[in-house]
Every structure is written in C-alpha cells, then in structure tokens.
Amino acid sequence: MKFPSKVTVAALIKKPFFEVNLGADGELKLSGAEGRLLDIISHALRSCLEIVVPEDNKFGQQGPDGNWTGVIGMVQRGEVDLGMGFLGMTEERAAVVDFSTVYTIDGTTFVIGKPSPIPAAFAYLYPFQLVLWASLAAFLFLMPFVFMLMMDHKSSYVSLFLELFGSLMTQALSVKNDSMRSRILLMSWVIFAYIISLSYSALLLSFMSVPLQREQVKDFLQLSNAVGKGRIKATVFYGSIVESFLLSSEQVHLKFLGESIKKNAWYCYNLKPGFHKDIVNEHKALLGPRVITRIFFGSGESEEIISEDTLVSLNIALAVDKNFCCKKEMDQVLSRIRSMGLFEKFVKDETQKLELQTSKEVSEIDDEMQIHVEDLFGAMMFLLIGYILSFLSLLGEILCNRQYHKFKCNSFSKVCFKIKSP
C-alpha cells in the first residue's frame, strides 16, 4: 500500500527535542533530536507533515473516564495519524493506540544540583565526628580524677586538667611520680595523646584545602526521604507518565513521592536552555527520561548530578492510530534508523550544541584549592576568645591581688594599733 502523501502528527514543541521553523520557501523545517528523526521518516516515505500541538500540552495521561489527554488522546480519538513526544510504551497506552517499532530504550531517573560545600570556617572540627569529640571531652574531664586517685598527686583538679589538655596540644607533661603504676598511667596517656594529636593534624589540612560537600541524594529512596523532610522539591514534566507510575507504585517511598508531586503541583512545563537552573538546583530535583537529563545536564562542567538509579526502563516509539494504513512501511524505516544509531547521534549533537551555548570560561587557577582568610575565621575567633578570657583572668588576678594586699595592710595596721594602745 502506498504511503499517504500527507500525515498529521501530534507533538509537543520542546527545545531541543522537537522544534518547528518555517523556511524561506514556506516549508516546515524540523530540528531537535526527535524533530530530525521525524524529518528523516517523512523524507524516506516521501510524505508531507502537518504538526498539531495538543491544547493541554501534555504527553498523555488517562483520565477517570478512561479517555486520554495530550498526544495519546489525539491519536486515540483519530484526530492525528501519529504521536511523538518521547513516548514510553505501556500496557495502558497500548490498549488505546498502536506503537511503531522501538527507536530507542531509555530509563527514568532524576537530576539534582550538586550539594553546596560545607563552610571551611569550622574545618578544625571536621576531622572527628561528633561522637568522638564528645568522647574525648568526657575522657579529658574524667582523667584528672583518675590521676588524683592512682598517683596520690597533691595537685588540684584544675592544674591536672590543664596539664592533660596541654599534652593533647603536643606540650610536655610536668607531672612526676616514681611509682610503677604512675609511670604506666603516664605512658599510656602520652601514647594516647600522641596518636590523637597526630591523627587530627594529618586530617586538618586536607579538610581545609579541599571543600567538603554536603550529603548527596543518590537514589529514589533518599530523594523520597529528603522530600518528606522538606529539604527538596521533586518536579516532573507536566503530563508525563512518571507521575502516574509513581502514584500506582506499590513501594511506599515511590508512592509518597508521587503523592507529594500531585499535592504540591510540582510540574515542569518547559525546560529551556539557560533557564534550567531555576528548575534543578541543590533543593530541586527533576524526574524524567535519562536522555533529557543527559542533554541538559550531561556536560563535564555541569553543576548538576544525574542519578545512577533508574525508576523504570521503557521502550520509546511513535504512537500510531489503530486505523493507520501504512504502519508496516514506517516500521521498516524506523528499523533502519535504529540499526544505524541515528537517534543516538541526534541526541549527542543536541548535547554538544547546548554545551557550546552554555559553556563558561574556566579559570586557570583552581580557586577551590586555595586557603582564604575566611577559611581561618573559626580558628581566629577562638584565638580572640582565648585572648579575651586571658585578659579577663589577668585583670581578675590584679584586682584580687590588690584587694589581698589592701586587706593585709588594714589587718597589720589594726594589729599595730592594738600593740601601741596600752
């Protein structure tokens, strides 16, 4: 059967996947990964195209009455011959429309902005975890009592505490005792303090030089937990099948993710080059086909991370009206296109175009590898606090000393007066 000279196609105009431009000769010029694919099909079959955009601008979702919206709905109702929009083949869709031969296979994942670095101002606290810091503090407050009991030492608790604290700061111990148990206790403390101080010093510079990143969301379970805590918003393309899949999932975290998206209307209506940072950042994730995330966020200098976790893998094909006459001829062309890997080439071309449009100049000096004054803010703040406390202690000692001498002089005068009074 001869392929029709005119074919109507329902598609969503979304750059850089499908674009329609009017040439100087009045003919349609298709561009974008899927636009170029459809253009090859039309030329191979020598057919003119009429592009129709769905009024609701949706890929296709099934409504409560069983009817479909978007591209799938137009094909179902026979308003168009074909539907294109990176459509995944599902049982629900296959019940109302036919599908062409598969031209690619793609998985659904999510992309999120790289977590911001942890401020280096308090980098001196990062080498040890909070539990270890608490254990060291408790140990340091407890050990002076042990020394007082085991060594029969006459020094006060404060002096012993300062001695042990100074040993952790690599200062020498002046505590002396000749008994064997005292030597064993001192030696064990010296070894402990030496290991702790060396471990801390070895890690401190690396933590200050290389910025630490906050915890990264790697899979859908972590994404669902982050959404539940209010840290991240998860968006999906408006009218895509991802939301329906999440809502119908039997896994609790995926169902919760879908319900959160529907409740808060977290939808992405369009993803334009140069504006994607408003949609994807540290606190916003975008769920969608891996091909889309690779085109927009797959460059080496990208500030976003594409998750390696896959929600579902789908065969991608054209939606075809069940009464369409020449599906077999179209499938033959698509099979040849897939064998040559043309669609993958189109995706790669669009990725490179986008990289060139959004490329940035790379500084010759890696600024992240330098230590700045603000990185030492925490240490300088503690040094200033130490100086202030030392000054207050000195002032207190001077005042106490004066009061002591004044009291001593007054007492001496009274004694002298009593002696001379007879």
Side-chain angles (χ1 to χ4, degrees), residues 360-370:
K360 299 178 180 178
E361 293 184 1
V362 181
S363 175
E364 294 182 0
I365 301 176
D366 190 356
D367 206 38
E368 293 184 352
M369 298 302 293
Q370 299 177 350

Side-chain angles (χ1 to χ4, degrees), residues 14-19 31-34 271 273 295-296 350 354:
K14 293 185 179 293
K15 188 178 181 180
F17 306 100
F18 197 99
E19 298 177 70
S31 58
E34 289 198 315
L271 191 61
I295 290 178
F296 278 98
E350 296 301 324
L354 199 58

Side-chain angles (χ1 to χ4, degrees), residues 158-392:
V158 175
S159 61
L160 282 173
F161 177 84
L162 294 176
E163 285 281 347
L164 297 179
F165 181 77
S167 66
L168 287 175
M169 301 292 108
T170 66
Q171 295 182 5
L173 275 173
S174 60
V175 179
K176 295 182 180 179
N177 204 293
D178 296 331
S179 64
M180 181 60 66
R181 64 179 180 181
S182 300
R183 293 178 180 178
I184 294 174
L185 184 61
L186 283 172
M187 183 60 66
S188 61
W189 176 260
V190 168
I191 294 174
F192 169 77
Y194 184 71
I195 293 174
I196 292 296
S197 60
L198 282 185
S199 302
Y200 179 81
S201 301
L203 292 172
L204 179 60
L205 187 59
S206 63
F207 276 92
M208 293 183 65
S209 301
V210 181
L212 290 177
Q213 301 291 331
R214 302 185 190 276
E215 185 180 0
Q216 177 187 333
V217 177
K218 298 181 179 180
D219 53 38
F220 282 94
L221 179 59
Q222 293 180 358
L223 179 63
S224 178
N225 293 334
V227 169
K229 295 177 182 177
R231 290 175 38 229
I232 293 176
K233 294 181 179 179
T235 59
V236 298
F237 288 102
Y238 181 67
S240 70
I241 199 173
V242 178
E243 181 184 1
S244 301
F245 182 85
L246 291 172
L247 290 171
S248 60
S249 176
E250 296 181 357
Q251 299 186 46
V252 177
H253 67 281
L254 295 181
K255 191 175 184 65
F256 170 77
L257 198 57
E259 291 174 348
S260 300
I261 292 171
K262 184 177 181 180
K263 177 182 177 182
N264 298 284
W266 289 337
Y267 300 120
C268 172
Y269 296 92
N270 203 357
L271 191 61
K272 297 180 180 179
F275 296 94
H276 56 267
K277 296 196 180 297
D278 298 331
I279 301 170
V280 176
N281 53 50
E282 183 183 358
H283 303 291
K284 291 183 180 180
L286 175 65
L287 284 66
R290 192 174 293 276
V291 165
I292 296 178
T293 59
R294 191 167 74 243
I295 290 178
F296 278 98
F297 312 100
S299 64
E301 300 175 13
S302 176
E303 298 180 1
E304 294 80 23
I305 299 173
I306 301 174
S307 173
E308 296 183 1
D309 194 14
T310 299
L311 180 64
V312 60
S313 293
L314 295 173
N315 293 324
I316 309 300
L318 299 177
V320 183
D321 183 5
K322 287 184 175 292
N323 298 319
F324 187 63
C325 61
C326 306
K327 180 176 176 296
K328 183 178 180 181
E329 289 80 356
M330 185 177 63
D331 286 346
Q332 290 177 350
V333 174
L334 276 172
S335 296
R336 295 169 189 167
I337 291 174
R338 183 180 180 183
S339 300
M340 291 184 288
L342 285 181
F343 183 74
E344 285 70 21
K345 179 186 181 302
F346 297 155
V347 170
K348 187 176 181 180
D349 291 344
E350 296 301 324
T351 304
Q352 291 176 347
K353 283 182 186 178
L354 199 58
E355 286 182 14
L356 292 174
Q357 292 176 8
T358 58
S359 60
K360 299 178 180 178
E361 293 184 1
V362 181
S363 175
E364 294 182 0
I365 301 176
D366 190 356
D367 206 38
E368 293 184 352
M369 298 302 293
Q370 299 177 350
I371 297 178
H372 302 275
V373 175
E374 55 267 22
D375 297 336
L376 302 175
F377 172 77
M380 295 174 68
M381 182 184 66
F382 270 86
L383 178 63
L384 181 62
I385 292 174
Y387 283 153
I388 293 173
L389 292 176
S390 299
F391 176 76
L392 293 177

